[in-house]
């Protein structure tokens, strides 16, 4: 159901940001969804859990690129699944398909493509990555 996909999206955003929807910072209309959406185009590294960034700090450029793509795709999926309007959210089947494509990509399938309706790209990450 659309409620299930919403909960799934919240979980994805929690994993990537290491923030809960009940965090004290989310007051005055700010929510986890709005917080992530505000930064994902401009300064993704501000919202991504620092341990995810540190995990690939000393890796090859190829591994760093794959990490950036994976995190970007997860952020986008989380945003799509937590939209205010239930009719605008993907189905759980669509979300599972997106995760399967991401899994194939991370497994080395360079033909895997993503339906990037929000325009996530690794260029949104700083060169510190």
């Amino acid at each position: 159901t659309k409620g299930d996909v919403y909960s799934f999206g919240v979980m994805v955003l929690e994993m990537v940001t290491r923030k809960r929807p009940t965090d004290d910072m989310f007051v005055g209309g700010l929510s986890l969804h709005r917080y992530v959406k505000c930064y994902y185009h401009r300064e993704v590294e501000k919202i991504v859990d620092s341990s995810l960034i540190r995990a690939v700090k000393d890796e090859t450029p190829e591994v760093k690129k794959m990490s950036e793509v994976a995190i970007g795709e997860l952020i986008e999926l989380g945003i799509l699944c937590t939209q205010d309007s239930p009719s605008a959210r993907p189905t759980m089947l669509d979300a599972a398909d997106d995760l399967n494509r991401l899994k194939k990509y991370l497994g080395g399938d360079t033909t895997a493509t993503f339906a990037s309706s929000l325009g996530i790209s690794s260029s949104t990450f700083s060169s510190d990555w």
Side-chain angles (χ1 to χ4, degrees), residues 37-127:
K37 195 171 181 180
C38 177
Y39 284 102
Y40 87 101
H41 263 308
R42 299 176 293 136
E43 301 170 283
V44 172
E45 67 278 0
K46 276 191 171 184
I47 57 172
V48 173
D49 178 12
S50 59
S51 65
L52 293 176
I53 296 171
R54 281 194 310 271
V56 295
K57 183 177 179 246
D58 298 323
E59 293 292 340
T60 65
E62 293 78 17
V63 170
K64 286 181 181 179
K65 173 71 172 170
M66 289 179 80
S67 177
E68 290 176 14
V69 169
I71 290 170
E73 289 299 321
L74 289 172
I75 290 171
E76 182 163 329
L77 182 58
I79 289 172
L80 289 172
C81 292
T82 58
Q83 294 181 93
D84 288 336
S85 171
S87 63
R89 298 174 197 154
T91 65
M92 278 303 296
L93 187 58
D94 291 335
D97 285 345
D98 285 351
L99 287 178
N100 192 44
R101 279 192 294 278
L102 183 54
K103 180 180 173 184
K104 286 180 181 178
Y105 169 76
L106 293 173
D109 181 355
T110 55
T111 65
T113 58
F114 308 103
S116 188
S117 61
L118 291 178
I120 282 285
S121 73
S122 60
S123 63
T124 60
F125 287 87
S126 73
S127 58

Side-chain angles (χ1 to χ4, degrees), residues 4-66:
D4 292 339
V5 81
Y6 181 88
S7 297
F8 171 75
V10 168
M11 182 189 70
V12 169
L13 294 180
E14 284 181 309
M15 288 182 355
V16 174
T17 64
R18 205 171 187 184
K19 295 203 180 305
R20 294 183 162 284
T22 55
D23 193 294
D24 290 343
M25 72 179 291
F26 300 128
V27 294
L30 184 62
S31 65
L32 179 59
H33 169 89
R34 286 188 181 100
Y35 168 71
V36 171
K37 195 171 181 180
C38 177
Y39 284 102
Y40 87 101
H41 263 308
R42 299 176 293 136
E43 301 170 283
V44 172
E45 67 278 0
K46 276 191 171 184
I47 57 172
V48 173
D49 178 12
S50 59
S51 65
L52 293 176
I53 296 171
R54 281 194 310 271
V56 295
K57 183 177 179 246
D58 298 323
E59 293 292 340
T60 65
E62 293 78 17
V63 170
K64 286 181 181 179
K65 173 71 172 170
M66 289 179 80

